[in-house]
Amino acid sequence: MNVETVILPPLPLRGGCQCGAVRYTIDEAPLAFYLCHCTNCQRQSSSIAGASMLTRVQAVSVEGRPRTARWSAESGAQKSGQFCPECGVRLFHGSLEGGPDDRITIKAGTLDDTSWLRPAGHIWTSSAMRGFRFDEDELTYPRQPPDYEHLKERWRQMLAQG
Ligand SMILES: [Zn+2]
Ligand SMILES: [Zn+2]
């Protein structure tokens, strides 16, 4: 199997919204990075997919005052995330106070440096934009994965090679 290489930049990772009112740092290697092609992510990102970087909430420090957005997932689950009230850019999904599993996803397009990112896999490929191609080697799920363990494992392998 052909595993892509990821070279993690020196920590902390830094990012923020478009106007700079909300900035953040991440003090440890993220747990996984994947693209979500669900229609909710297409809408919230106003783009073709959500770029989700799964991270321990304890590793994230935020400057500024993001506001909370709430919506219902296709499963009916209630979700929330944070956005900049000045420029509207979505930054995080999950609670910065820490949820039951203390995980949040960083909307990875907000990183100052996105050049090193390679997705460990793709979820909700059943609603991916037509023409989007997935390699046979890639980890793909037509809908919600049962859990994120395989995506995290693949990400660890990619990091280990970097
Ligand atoms: Zn902003
Ligand atoms: Zn999604």
Side-chain angles (χ1 to χ4, degrees):
M1 188 186 65
N2 199 6
V3 176
E4 290 247 24
T5 298
V6 168
I7 298 172
L8 187 71
L11 297 172
L13 306 175
R14 296 177 192 280
C17 65
Q18 270 182 321
C19 77
V22 181
R23 297 283 302 163
Y24 65 83
T25 57
I26 306 168
D27 295 331
E28 63 185 32
L31 302 169
F33 171 63
Y34 57 90
L35 298 187
C36 179
H37 300 266
C38 84
T39 55
N40 258 310
C41 282
Q42 288 168 348
R43 191 181 298 277
Q44 64 79 13
S45 66
S46 60
S47 184
I48 58 168
S52 297
M53 202 166 72
L54 190 65
T55 308
R56 285 194 336 124
V57 70
Q58 292 88 346
V60 182
S61 306
V62 179
E63 282 176 45
R65 293 171 165 269
R67 276 174 53 190
T68 300
R70 296 177 200 284
W71 69 97
S72 300
E74 254 173 83
S75 65
Q78 294 302 301
K79 302 277 190 176
S80 67
Q82 283 74 41
F83 65 96
C84 171
E86 304 297 328
C87 68
V89 165
R90 191 74 69 84
L91 293 147
F92 317 109
H93 283 180
S95 170
L96 290 170
E97 277 82 56
D101 59 359
D102 286 345
R103 303 282 186 268
I104 61 170
T105 54
I106 313 286
K107 307 318 289 178
T110 62
L111 287 168
D112 291 346
D113 178 9
T114 56
S115 64
W116 60 278
L117 287 169
R118 304 284 180 279
H122 299 263
I123 69 173
W124 285 93
T125 57
S126 59
S127 49
M129 188 182 76
R130 289 178 70 183
F132 213 106
R133 289 176 207 290
F134 305 102
D135 286 343
E136 280 179 16
D137 281 347
E138 285 187 291
L139 211 46
T140 59
Y141 298 87
R143 293 169 66 81
Q144 189 68 20
D147 58 49
Y148 290 88
E149 292 310 312
H150 286 108
L151 286 162
K152 289 196 278 190
E153 188 187 332
R154 177 69 65 91
W155 178 251
R156 279 195 297 271
Q157 290 168 354
M158 291 163 73
L159 278 177
Q161 293 196 345

